[in-house]
Amino acid sequence: MFGITIKKRLSEDQLSNIFVNGIFESVENSFEDVAGLINNDISFVADPQVNPNNKHEFALIVLAANIAIIESVFDYELANDLRNSIFNKLANVYSRDVKTVAAVIKDYQDQMMRLNRNSKNWSNSMALAIFEKYELNQYQDEFFRRQNGCNPMFKKRLGDIMSNYIWDWDEMRKKYKF
């Protein structure tokens, strides 16, 4: 027989709902493990003591990176509509107005672009943002601490972990029409 697949059509509102809930669920279910990996990483001479309950910064980093990626996945109009719908959802979650949420996400994106200015690798950008937001420099050996830069081996390990937080838009396109 013919393999006909019928894709369900999703509105921007439905898609943004799946996206926001999916990001928050993945952060909620895994940040404790990420914090443990950071705290036990051999790159640090002292335990950073990242609190496994302090996932707010982590969630914003993951959201900001994934929202930035939307622009490279969809045409301008759909990307803009989807981004606005996501901002509306986040405004409800954080009990803030949409402009404030958009500004916070933009600040995080700008920080990641500044930290990883020579690359468009969002996994590494997220790793560097985590390094900065959780103030991990002070736990490194003296050589990297004086340079005020992330140990490249730690950045690689954390970047590999963060690649798991990149939203799989290809999989969404296989299942749904937008």
Side-chain angles (χ1 to χ4, degrees):
M1 282 310 311
F2 296 103
I4 299 175
T5 52
I6 299 174
K7 295 180 182 181
K8 181 179 176 184
R9 185 165 190 70
L10 292 179
S11 67
E12 288 87 9
D13 185 61
Q14 291 169 317
L15 183 56
S16 65
N17 201 40
I18 291 169
F19 173 80
V20 169
N21 288 331
I23 294 290
F24 280 125
E25 182 180 341
S26 69
V27 168
E28 182 67 34
N29 291 335
S30 64
F31 183 69
E32 185 176 337
D33 294 330
V34 173
L37 290 168
I38 292 169
N39 289 335
N40 295 312
D41 195 279
I42 60 172
S43 298
F44 299 115
V45 294
D47 180 355
Q49 298 181 6
V50 173
N51 183 339
N53 296 316
N54 185 9
K55 46 189 110 159
H56 174 72
E57 298 287 349
F58 185 78
L60 287 171
I61 290 166
V62 172
L63 282 163
N66 279 289
I67 291 169
I69 292 168
I70 288 172
E71 295 172 8
S72 66
V73 175
F74 298 107
D75 64 58
Y76 176 79
E77 187 177 328
L78 180 56
N80 194 43
D81 290 347
L82 182 56
R83 191 175 40 253
N84 289 336
S85 184
I86 290 168
F87 289 153
N88 281 315
K89 302 263 185 254
L90 293 174
N92 287 331
V93 169
Y94 289 114
S95 300
R96 301 280 187 253
D97 63 278
V98 174
K99 284 184 179 183
T100 300
V101 169
V104 168
I105 294 296
K106 177 82 169 104
D107 287 346
Y108 274 75
Q109 290 169 340
D110 290 347
Q111 178 192 28
M112 285 187 269
M113 296 286 281
R114 179 183 49 79
L115 290 169
N116 202 25
R117 64 187 150 272
N118 296 329
S119 172
K120 289 189 178 184
N121 183 322
W122 285 102
S123 299
N124 285 340
S125 295
M126 288 190 286
L128 291 169
I130 290 166
F131 181 81
E132 190 169 284
K133 288 290 184 182
Y134 287 92
E135 300 175 345
L136 300 177
N137 187 53
Q138 62 188 315
Y139 303 103
Q140 297 188 105
D141 65 38
E142 187 178 345
F143 176 76
F144 290 109
R145 194 171 50 245
R146 274 190 281 130
Q147 289 185 345
N148 198 27
C150 184
N151 179 321
M153 296 306 294
F154 174 73
K155 181 178 109 176
K156 169 79 169 103
R157 284 189 292 274
L158 190 55
D160 288 346
I161 292 167
M162 296 313 296
S163 68
N164 295 303
Y165 291 91
I166 301 292
W167 192 260
D168 191 349
W169 289 111
D170 290 335
E171 187 64 29
M172 292 295 291
R173 284 183 175 197
K174 289 177 188 173
K175 291 181 181 180
Y176 303 105
K177 277 174 59 173
F178 311 121

